[in-house]
Every structure is written in C-alpha cells, then in structure tokens.
Amino acid sequence: MERINSKLYLQNCYIMAENERLRKKAELLNQENQQLLSELKHRLSQAGPSNINNNNNGGGKNNTILDLNLSNTSKNVSSKSKKK
C-alpha cells in the first residue's frame, strides 16, 4: 500500500509541475495576445474611418472590418474563417 501511495504521490507531483509550466505558458501567450490586439487597435485607429470607408471601391479587395470585441481564442478565428 505504501508503494502505491508513493507512486501516486510522484505522479501527482509531476502533474502539478506540468500544470504550473502550462499555466506560465498560457499567461505568456495571453500577454502576447493582448499586446498584439492593442497594436492592431492602435493601427486601426490611426487608419481613421475615412480610410476604411474608401476601401469600398469595388476593386476586388477584401472589405471585411474586424470585430475587435470578439474573444481572443483560436476557436473563434478558425470558425469565422470557415464561414466565408
């Protein structure tokens, strides 16, 4: 019984260490995502509404305006791109 407890304890330690590693990675990815979103919003605000509205010239360009209020998950991005 003691041997089983020791084995389970070691597995638990490994799982907790892996969980902490993944938590730190997720935090870094979230920070990077927030920085990229902030940069995108800044670039779009610099473009101004006149530049966005002037893109409707029928020249075959993609005239999609991004909704920056969507959640920042890859699931939303992939599901949006599949709908087109």
Side-chain angles (χ1 to χ4, degrees), residues 11-23:
Q11 285 178 343
N12 192 31
C13 289
Y14 172 76
I15 289 170
M16 289 190 304
E18 182 73 4
N19 190 24
E20 186 62 28
R21 184 187 70 81
L22 291 172
R23 183 179 288 116

Side-chain angles (χ1 to χ4, degrees), residues 4-5 7 11 16-19 21-23 25-26 33 35-37 42 44 53 59 62-63 66-67 72-73 78 81:
I4 294 173
N5 282 342
K7 185 177 178 180
Q11 285 178 343
M16 289 190 304
E18 182 73 4
N19 190 24
R21 184 187 70 81
L22 291 172
R23 183 179 288 116
K25 186 174 182 179
N33 196 15
Q35 290 172 345
L36 291 171
L37 181 62
H42 179 71
L44 289 176
N53 291 334
N62 186 0
N63 295 326
L66 298 175
D67 183 359
N72 299 325
T73 62
S78 63
S81 62

